Amino acid sequence: MRVVVAEDHFLLRDGLVRLLGAYGHEVAAAVDNGPELRKVLVAERPDVAIVDVRLPPDFSDEGLRAALAAREQVPGLPVLLLSQYVEPLYAKELLADGAGACGYVLKDRVTNGAEFLATIGQVAGGGTVMDPEVVSKLLARKVRDRRLGSLTAREREVLGLLAQGRSNAGVAEALFVTEKAVTKHIGNIFTKLGLLPGESDNRRVLAVLAYLEG
């Protein structure tokens, strides 16, 4: 994979570059600020970008804003956000275009290089990955969307696991049920959320987005 890394902390940025290189991936660019990130993403069009949410010059959500701006010019550009904070709004904004190929991982929970590289590969392949801590916070929030309120407890469990980026097989394994049962639950979720089959819409991503908005 060709990867762009955006991280203002030198040691972490250097560590990411070394990790990626050790696994045979090419780092097309490693930057430390939002404006440069936007330019590099549009110019390089990497297979995936690993982006710290808070970058200079503002140290607010500069990394996220640069990634969103780049995705407007390069639709579907894969982006994996790294953050020290659980902020569902960041994930919601990244998911809002419905294109998928995005993720949100907490820095403190990255403890295994191989697993982290697998997450990067999942995002690069068009998948959607949410850190379980983010999902847990979302589960604790009051449901405001009537469509989500119509889901059963099991359907909400399934949707929460989909938000983590799990496949049908992964959901089945986590819940100790069959894949056939998971497929049925997902079908019910799509129906209750009003997500009808379409050629261009990724219904799994739209379902997760509805979940984030709940």
Side-chain angles (χ1 to χ4, degrees):
M1 290 185 294
R2 291 181 66 254
V3 186
V4 164
V5 174
E7 167 61 54
D8 67 294
H9 193 288
F10 169 75
L11 290 178
L12 183 52
R13 184 173 67 252
D14 187 64
L16 285 170
V17 171
R18 291 175 183 271
L19 175 66
L20 291 162
Y23 280 82
H25 301 299
E26 175 191 350
V27 177
V31 302
D32 64 358
N33 64 84
E36 188 175 358
L37 171 62
R38 179 177 178 179
K39 294 177 183 178
V40 166
L41 290 178
V42 174
E44 295 290 342
R45 303 193 177 215
D47 296 316
V48 64
I50 304 172
V51 178
D52 185 5
V53 171
R54 299 189 177 188
L55 290 175
D58 297 334
F59 288 102
S60 55
D61 57 358
E62 195 73 15
L64 171 64
R65 295 300 166 199
L68 291 174
R71 277 170 68 103
E72 289 181 1
Q73 295 180 262
V74 186
L77 177 70
V79 174
L80 175 62
L81 294 180
L82 288 179
S83 179
Q84 292 179 313
Y85 310 97
V86 179
E87 180 47 73
L89 179 61
Y90 294 158
K92 175 184 173 182
E93 291 197 45
L94 191 59
L95 283 165
D97 62 9
C102 57
Y104 179 7
V105 174
L106 298 179
K107 291 181 179 179
D108 291 345
R109 291 174 58 84
V110 178
T111 59
N112 182 290
E115 290 180 1
F116 182 56
L117 265 294
T119 297
I120 295 171
Q122 189 171 347
V123 172
T128 301
V129 181
M130 295 276 293
D131 192 289
E133 284 292 327
V134 179
V135 175
S136 294
K137 184 171 182 178
L138 291 169
L139 283 170
R141 296 170 65 191
K142 181 180 179 180
V143 177
R144 296 187 299 272
D145 192 317
R146 290 183 179 179
R147 297 174 302 163
L148 287 176
S150 70
L151 301 182
T152 65
R154 175 62 86 183
E155 289 165 355
R156 287 183 60 79
E157 283 184 294
V158 170
L159 186 50
L161 292 167
L162 291 182
Q164 293 179 24
R166 300 208 187 193
S167 64
N168 287 16
V171 174
E173 181 179 359
L175 297 180
F176 302 101
V177 298
T178 65
E179 285 190 54
K180 183 177 180 180
V182 170
T183 299
K184 182 178 179 180
H185 286 312
I186 292 175
N188 290 339
I189 290 168
F190 289 160
T191 298
K192 291 180 179 180
L193 295 183
L195 301 176
L196 302 178
E199 294 181 359
S200 59
D201 290 337
N202 184 331
R203 291 194 293 170
R204 292 172 82 98
V205 173
L206 293 176
V208 170
L209 183 56
Y211 179 75
L212 287 168
E213 291 175 335

